[in-house]
Amino acid sequence: MRLSTPWSRSEVDLDVDLGSGAERARDQGVRFGGRFRGWALIGAVVWTVFLVPVAQDAIAFGGVRGALSLVALAVFVGAYLGTLVWRQGRRVAARGSTTTHPGTVPAYATLCVLAVLVTALVHPGGIACVVYVAVAGIFLFPQWVALGQAGVLAVASEAVARLVPGWSDAQGIGLSVFLASFAVWGIAQAIGRSMDLVAAQEENSHLMVGQERTRMARDLHDILGHSLTVITVKAELAGRMLDVGDAAGIARARAELADLERLSRDALADVRRTVEGYRDLTLPGEIARARVALEAAEIDATLPGTAEEVPTQWRELFAWTVREGVTNVVRHSGARHCTVSIAVDHVTVADDGRGCPGQASEVGNGLVGLRERAAAEGARLVTQSGAEGGFLLTVHAPGSVVVA
């Protein structure tokens, strides 16, 4: 879908959401075009004031010639205004098409014939109509054609004023044609640039909305993916304990169900914080969650007892790394043991499971989001197979030494 200005040749392509986004942008273009079409019409009406001396000359003739002159002048003014309104409507409907409409040349030719008729009846004052023909051409034709026709009319009208006997009063009309055409062309270009700017601002707003949706989707995946994985594992464990049927199994099942309720409430709170734009993550909290998740999945865990040595600026990124890494271990690895190690400049999540897959996307979209998050802070994410098999996920802070 495209938005374009009524006068300029440039176009702005907007990649927006389907359906409502396209309708909204189309309505925006029509509204812009209608607004400036109205201003163009007002300006055109105001300019017709300069044809009052031509009407006075026609009245001075009196009789049939005077009447014919007034009728011809009125028809010319009506055709001039109607042509501008029609052409601006066509530009809005075309929404940026650079193709000249089939009716453009006939409309321009009609104005030329009427201008010649008025000039023949009300000479030499009627030659002022040439200025309006040139201005109409600025709106009717593409940029270089419009300037070309204005130049031709300026030269032709000045030549006629100098060559026809008794038309010395009309000398200088060529300069008037040139100045009026150039002024209108400049105004049209300025309006076009303004509309380009508005369209670019619209594009930026749509892009910002898209980026925010991507962030929300990534954060919701990271938060809910971890929580729902733990909930699923605990629900399965509770089911197995109930199948055992003894008192110890039932007690364990009740404990797991209580954890399920707590985890569900925590997940709901995390979603609410994410929607509100807050990221309330702590590295110690994620280590504690990792211990619970790995224990529920019956995976032996080696976890750090403290994370105090990690600088403040890397705590949130390392917390996301622990969350995503442990979630992948529980979901995909089939591991028996998981080790989380934290240093001043890096964090590693390692397991003894199936090893490093061919593509990061094979272990879920979470790693894609984590890689983007790390890159945004200048860190580096590395995934590889362990020395004795398994999968290693490491995030290095900027400036740390990366060992392949």
Side-chain angles (χ1 to χ4, degrees):
M1 187 279 303
R2 287 174 175 167
L3 279 180
S4 65
T5 67
W7 291 283
S8 68
R9 299 290 102 193
S10 61
E11 297 177 348
V12 178
D13 293 335
L14 300 183
D15 293 328
V16 297
D17 293 331
L18 299 177
S20 61
E23 292 296 330
R24 182 170 56 252
R26 186 179 300 111
D27 292 342
Q28 179 96 2
V30 172
R31 186 166 61 252
F32 285 163
R35 181 189 309 167
F36 290 113
R37 181 182 63 178
W39 282 111
L41 178 59
I42 292 174
V45 171
V46 171
W47 270 45
T48 58
V49 171
F50 294 100
L51 288 176
V52 171
V54 181
Q56 292 175 340
D57 290 344
I59 294 173
F61 285 117
V64 175
R65 181 180 176 182
L68 289 176
S69 299
L70 286 175
V71 170
L73 181 61
V75 173
F76 173 81
V77 172
Y80 166 70
L81 298 178
T83 298
L84 293 186
V85 173
W86 166 79
R87 183 49 183 160
Q88 293 310 309
R90 290 301 309 173
R91 285 184 183 272
V92 173
R95 292 194 298 275
S97 174
T98 58
T99 302
T100 302
H101 188 267
T104 298
V105 174
Y108 182 76
T110 300
L111 287 177
C112 291
V113 170
L114 290 173
V116 171
L117 178 60
V118 173
T119 303
L121 291 172
V122 193
H123 55 73
I127 202 171
C129 292
V130 177
V131 177
Y132 296 85
V133 175
V135 169
I138 295 294
F139 290 103
L140 286 172
F141 296 110
Q143 177 176 313
W144 296 112
V145 176
L147 293 177
Q149 64 86 33
V152 170
L153 289 178
V155 173
S157 59
E158 186 65 26
V160 169
R162 292 180 179 275
L163 294 176
V164 176
W167 282 35
S168 58
D169 291 342
Q171 292 180 9
I173 188 65
L175 179 62
S176 298
V177 171
F178 174 78
L179 292 178
S181 300
F182 185 77
V184 171
W185 178 80
I187 293 172
Q189 293 300 307
I191 293 175
R193 297 295 183 270
S194 298
M195 293 184 64
D196 284 343
L197 178 60
V198 173
Q201 290 173 343
E202 286 291 313
E203 178 187 16
N204 289 337
S205 66
H206 289 308
L207 291 175
M208 291 177 64
V209 169
Q211 291 173 354
E212 182 63 16
R213 287 176 177 172
T214 300
R215 184 196 70 80
M216 290 288 296
R218 183 189 66 193
D219 287 357
L220 287 176
H221 171 272
D222 292 344
I223 291 173
L224 288 181
H226 173 85
S227 300
L228 294 178
T229 297
V230 177
I231 289 172
T232 300
V233 172
K234 283 186 169 292
E236 293 175 352
L237 179 60
R240 290 199 300 269
M241 292 299 100
L242 288 175
D243 290 339
V244 173
D246 58 9
I250 293 176
R252 178 68 184 278
R254 286 177 177 172
E256 296 297 334
L257 290 175
D259 279 346
L260 285 178
E261 180 181 0
R262 177 182 58 80
L263 289 171
S264 299
R265 293 182 183 278
D266 289 345
L268 179 60
D270 286 342
V271 171
R272 285 174 175 169
R273 282 195 296 269
T274 301
V275 171
E276 292 171 358
Y278 298 102
R279 301 180 180 183
D280 189 15
L281 260 70
T282 63
L283 187 53
E286 290 308 312
I287 294 173
R289 291 187 183 187
R291 180 176 289 106
V292 173
L294 293 170
E295 180 182 358
E298 299 181 349
I299 298 175
D300 294 335
T302 300
L303 301 171
T306 181
E308 297 299 324
E309 70 273 19
V310 179
T312 301
Q313 64 266 34
W314 306 125
R315 284 178 171 268
E316 182 180 356
L317 176 60
F318 284 13
W320 281 111
T321 303
V322 172
R323 169 174 286 194
E324 184 58 39
V326 170
T327 299
N328 283 334
V329 170
V330 173
R331 281 183 175 179
H332 309 291
S333 69
R336 299 184 199 178
H337 187 83
C338 175
T339 300
V340 176
S341 58
I342 297 177
V344 175
D345 59 353
H346 71 274
V347 56
T348 300
V349 179
D351 63 70
D352 60 354
R354 285 187 286 267
C356 184
Q359 300 292 334
S361 60
E362 295 178 17
V363 295
N365 294 325
L367 285 184
V368 176
L370 182 60
R371 190 180 302 277
E372 293 175 353
R373 197 186 301 275
E377 299 190 23
R380 181 180 177 187
L381 182 147
V382 178
T383 58
Q384 59 188 4
S385 296
E388 300 179 359
F391 180 72
L392 269 70
L393 167 66
T394 307
V395 169
H396 298 270
S400 61
V401 178
V402 180
V403 180

